[in-house]
Amino acid sequence: MPESYDYLIVGAGFAGSVLAERLAEGSGKTCLMVDRREHIAGNAYDRTDEAGILIHAYGPHYFRTNSDKVVDYLSRFTKWHHVTYQVLVWTGGKYWQFPINLNTFEEYLGRASSTEEMEATLAKWRVPISQPKNSEEMVLSQVGREFYEMFFRNYTTKQWRRDPSQLDAAVCGRIPVRTDRDNRFVTEKFQALPQDGYTAMFERILKHPRITLRLKTDYREARAQVKYRHLIYTGMIDEFYDFTEGRLPYRSMRFEAETFQREFFQPAMQVNYPNDFDYTRVVEIKHATGQKSPVTTIVREYPEDFGPGKEAYYPIPAPDTKVLYQKYAERAEREKQVTFVGRLATYRYYNMDQVVAMALTEYDKLRTAV
Ligand code: FAD
Ligand code: UDP
């Protein structure tokens, strides 16, 4: 007799793990969770490296949210280390405050200024576009060409291997523009990292007698081995359908860590390099975790094309990809025994809190359907 479960859950990231916990604890269901990687936590995975430094293995994961519901839920599994995320840009041989604000403007002028002067200047620089249709128009309409060229055009091209004009406005629209002295990277009311790290938080989420976890196991392998009533799928939706509608594009990334025998490497948690080097940013997460150590580890991020042997880190938000995704979404709609949830399965450039909220909503649907 093959093993039998209520749910087969593919992917041990936020989407799959939240659903496994809810179904097991909230509805008494048995869940088999598989992930083809050798660890839990998906892209939020963090680990202590050889130098004893806690690093984010797949790029920086700055948890932030305005949702009390999401904070309340995750707080069952972690305490929090509150932090204000700070990012600098390196260009023209010096550091700049980022996102663009009055301090950045003063750095540009080389003298003291005011909100009034910045607003008056931006009013002249802005390209009048009432409804920006893409990322180039978005930035031009907010700050004009000078800052677009300094901070956005090359970073975006490096990151996505697409011109900003070929990406949805929301991509560069993630980055705010301010005319006060607020240097914070994001403004959500809750900004904090899990106190013992993401992986420790996921261990607690998944520690349940009705959740069976199998790592280094692909969906196809699991599907052939066990019986289940319902499938929760958090991988790439085009892969699920054997690419029959065509391949959705993704961006991949190479993360290179380096340890230095000194307390800090750079002046902030994250430095972006729009116009220098092949990497987009250097992250020294120790600034944010608050870990005390005489040594430090940084991670450089090199954007790469997605292909065999590579992870799909980013869906590419653009009109052409939306058309293709829609074909898969229509097929997904018709599935009765499969729930698609998470960043790859719904092809959405979502942050962690949005994925948690999505998983909680899906749980409510499954709970009431049973
Ligand atoms: P994932 O974490 O990708 O989990 C999916 C899992 O499914 C993976 O572990 C994968 O191995 C597994 N899987 C896929 N297919 C199969 C299969 N066929 N068989 C078995 N297993 C399979 N969000 C923020 O809120 N703040 C940030 O600062 C932030 N920074 C980010 C930086 C980078 C570089 C990246 C890539 C993302 C960042 N995010 C950030 C987004 C965050 O990572 C996601 O929102 C979140 O992790 C998505 O969770 P998920 O469960 O949907 O997907
Ligand atoms: N971006 C940019 N310059 C920067 C930072 C961001 O042009 O210095 C653009 C770029 O297109 C990037 C997008 O804004 O992909 C969103 O940036 P964010 O830091 O939110 O990206 P993520 O952390 O998701 O990789």
Side-chain angles (χ1 to χ4, degrees), residues 261-307:
Q261 300 301 315
R262 58 197 223 226
E263 194 179 2
F264 284 106
F265 172 81
Q266 63 188 27
M269 166 194 88
Q270 179 176 316
V271 177
N272 292 354
Y273 290 86
N275 304 313
D276 300 275
F277 310 116
D278 292 339
Y279 43 86
T280 45
R281 57 189 177 188
V282 176
V283 172
E284 188 173 26
I285 205 68
K286 196 181 164 206
H287 282 279
T289 57
Q291 187 178 0
K292 302 274 179 276
S293 170
V295 302
T296 191
T297 300
I298 60 157
V299 180
R300 296 189 179 88
E301 286 180 39
Y302 295 84
E304 290 189 335
D305 293 343
F306 174 63

Side-chain angles (χ1 to χ4, degrees), residues 160-281:
W160 300 97
R161 199 159 17 147
R162 274 187 182 219
D163 191 80
S165 63
Q166 307 301 311
L167 290 162
D168 283 355
V171 174
C172 285
R174 284 167 64 87
I175 308 294
V177 174
R178 310 185 184 110
T179 54
D180 58 14
R181 293 196 186 278
D182 187 351
N183 284 331
R184 290 175 304 162
F185 184 47
V186 292
T187 44
E188 279 89 344
K189 66 180 181 184
F190 186 88
Q191 302 183 26
L193 297 172
Q195 198 173 68
D196 313 316
Y198 287 97
T199 307
M201 179 178 77
F202 274 81
E203 278 164 6
R204 290 181 212 119
I205 294 175
L206 293 174
K207 194 172 170 7
H208 195 284
R210 282 187 285 275
I211 301 175
T212 305
L213 176 67
R214 277 193 207 142
L215 297 174
K216 291 191 261 180
T217 305
D218 194 274
Y219 160 55
R220 273 149 222 288
E221 219 180 310
R223 186 178 60 176
Q225 289 168 357
V226 301
K227 278 186 165 301
Y228 52 91
R229 281 195 269 192
H230 194 98
L231 174 68
I232 290 174
Y233 188 82
T234 76
M236 298 183 294
I237 190 165
D238 55 338
E239 184 183 357
F240 181 86
Y241 287 112
D242 296 321
F243 312 105
T244 41
E245 309 289 344
R247 281 181 188 263
L248 279 164
Y250 301 88
R251 281 305 273 167
S252 194
M253 196 74 85
R254 194 172 82 246
F255 300 99
E256 284 191 2
E258 190 176 356
T259 296
F260 294 87
Q261 300 301 315
R262 58 197 223 226
E263 194 179 2
F264 284 106
F265 172 81
Q266 63 188 27
M269 166 194 88
Q270 179 176 316
V271 177
N272 292 354
Y273 290 86
N275 304 313
D276 300 275
F277 310 116
D278 292 339
Y279 43 86
T280 45
R281 57 189 177 188

Side-chain angles (χ1 to χ4, degrees), residues 60 64 87 89 98 135 151-157 159-160 167 171-175 185 253 270 272-274 281 301 314 343 349 351:
R64 74 273 195 155
V87 172
V89 164
F98 197 77
S135 273
F151 296 116
F152 290 93
R153 189 164 69 84
N154 293 339
Y155 184 108
T156 301
T157 311
Q159 164 76 9
W160 300 97
L167 290 162
V171 174
C172 285
R174 284 167 64 87
I175 308 294
F185 184 47
M253 196 74 85
Q270 179 176 316
N272 292 354
Y273 290 86
R281 57 189 177 188
E301 286 180 39
Y314 292 85
R343 183 150 139 146
Y349 187 4
N351 286 332

Side-chain angles (χ1 to χ4, degrees), residues 13-14 30 94 133 196 215 223 270 293 307 310 335 367:
F14 270 102
T30 54
K94 60 179 182 174
K133 287 187 298 299
D196 313 316
L215 297 174
R223 186 178 60 176
Q270 179 176 316
S293 170
K310 302 273 177 68
E335 303 280 357
R367 189 173 52 136

